[in-house]
Amino acid sequence: MAIDPQLAKLLSFTPENLFVGDAATARATIDAGIGLLPVTTELAQVHDRTIPGAVDALPARVYRPSEEPDLPVTVFFHGGGFVIGGLDSHDAQARRIARHAECVVISVDYRLAPEHPFPAGIEDAFAAYRWVLDNAAELGADPSRIALAGDSAGATLSATTCLLAREHGLPQPALQMLWYPGTGVEHTASRVENANAPLLTAASIAWFMEHYLGGRALDELGPYASIGTIEDLSGLAPAHVVLAGHDPLRDEGADFAERLRAAGGTVECELFEDMVHGFMSFVDLVPRCAECASGSFAALHKALHP
């Protein structure tokens, strides 16, 4: 199936070869583009703060859809290949989660590579989840109703945080919302089929991984650098996995969802054949993207408001 026509037209204006050279240049380009996007989801309250990370304090942003007390909370990790992205690049996504799932959202600005390569990002994500478990009341949220969510690298961090929570004996979240996650499984049909897909290509994946891994091989770094190779996926939170047809990461995400299900997990998996990696960033601009996003917002709402 071809890419949705409106999305394809929008993507025709995106620069080619964005993820080459140094990380600072790529970040500046992304930041400039984000500044052109409108804010369309108004909320009762949005404020910046810091929370403890694995090493130092992390910037975070808290979103409240209403002044109602004891709302559930979603911990959100932005995408960007562990190299780019931040609170501003994913502000619109966090706002939509808060509005549609009727929950407090805390968006976490974890450390990025190459300045902070693996495992810095996953250590910060786990530290953030642990902090929210212990301090949800400080956010005016209900500690018994916590979800994890993220797109791309952020989805990988959400899934990895569930694995680390199991390892450390912490409660699982009510849901792990995984938008087109990468799991480190390199040899899949979709990586070949979509090697030159819009936004995320084989070359850009290699660029991200070179920065994130610091030039080290995946098999040198243990299972959390490649969660798709972890054999035991039992005892993890229910998952809602969203995949895009024109995405190099499509097949590894689908395999991860299937193996979660085979391990006894509750899994919903949606595949949108006419979408590309990163389509959640265009929900405010492309009606089809909004249509594809609706199921995941409903699933998150259901998990947090049983």
Side-chain angles (χ1 to χ4, degrees):
M1 182 181 293
I3 298 172
D4 171 76
Q6 286 182 274
L7 179 57
K9 182 177 181 180
L10 178 64
L11 294 174
S12 69
F13 295 100
T14 58
E16 295 183 4
N17 301 319
L18 176 58
F19 304 120
V20 296
D22 65 279
T25 300
R27 291 169 187 162
T29 303
I30 293 295
D31 289 346
I34 292 300
L36 301 176
L37 298 178
V39 174
T40 61
T41 306
E42 296 296 336
L43 300 172
Q45 184 183 120
V46 178
H47 70 273
D48 290 347
R49 60 163 299 156
T50 61
I51 64 171
V55 176
D56 297 311
L58 300 174
R61 186 169 293 165
V62 181
Y63 302 80
R64 291 192 68 86
S66 71
E67 298 301 336
E68 182 181 343
D70 298 323
L71 289 169
V73 59
T74 296
V75 186
F76 179 73
F77 304 118
H78 67 80
F82 309 102
V83 177
I84 62 173
L87 301 180
D88 292 337
S89 68
H90 286 64
D91 180 75
Q93 292 189 31
R95 287 173 179 270
R96 285 192 293 270
I97 291 171
R99 170 66 68 202
H100 292 291
E102 295 184 282
C103 66
V104 175
V105 173
I106 179 161
S107 181
V108 180
D109 203 4
Y110 54 90
R111 289 172 292 165
L112 297 176
E115 296 88 349
H116 305 284
F118 175 88
I122 65 171
E123 290 173 344
D124 283 344
F126 181 59
Y129 178 59
R130 174 173 263 167
W131 183 86
V132 173
L133 284 172
D134 293 337
N135 296 275
E138 185 179 329
L139 302 172
D142 180 354
S144 68
R145 294 183 291 162
I146 299 175
L148 294 172
D151 74 316
S152 193
T156 306
L157 291 175
S158 295
T160 306
T161 297
C162 290
L163 288 160
L164 287 168
R166 182 185 67 177
E167 178 183 325
H168 290 269
L170 297 181
Q172 288 289 308
L175 187 71
Q176 48 178 323
M177 177 63 66
L178 311 180
W179 291 334
Y180 30 86
T183 68
V185 179
E186 298 176 308
H187 303 293
T188 64
S190 64
R191 289 213 182 195
V192 176
E193 174 188 335
N194 296 311
N196 294 304
L199 295 183
L200 185 68
T201 64
S204 58
I205 292 173
W207 183 85
F208 284 125
M209 290 298 97
E210 176 68 21
H211 285 76
Y212 179 53
L213 302 179
R216 299 164 293 177
L218 278 173
D219 58 9
E220 298 175 8
L221 299 174
Y224 293 122
S226 183
I227 61 172
T229 64
I230 293 176
E231 293 185 5
D232 181 9
L233 297 180
S234 63
L236 301 176
H240 190 95
V241 184
V242 174
L243 307 173
H246 298 266
D247 182 359
L249 305 184
R250 180 195 66 210
D251 290 353
E252 62 201 80
D255 178 71
F256 190 72
E258 182 53 40
R259 293 201 307 110
L260 283 171
R261 185 180 291 113
T266 301
V267 181
E268 294 179 320
C269 186
E270 297 183 286
L271 169 61
F272 299 105
E273 296 282 4
D274 57 346
M275 289 289 103
V276 304
H277 188 89
F279 75 84
M280 288 288 184
S281 295
F282 306 109
V283 165
D284 289 334
L285 301 173
V286 179
R288 174 60 179 158
C289 294
E291 180 183 338
C292 293
S294 62
S296 57
F297 293 139
L300 188 55
H301 188 281
K302 181 180 179 179
L304 291 174
H305 300 271

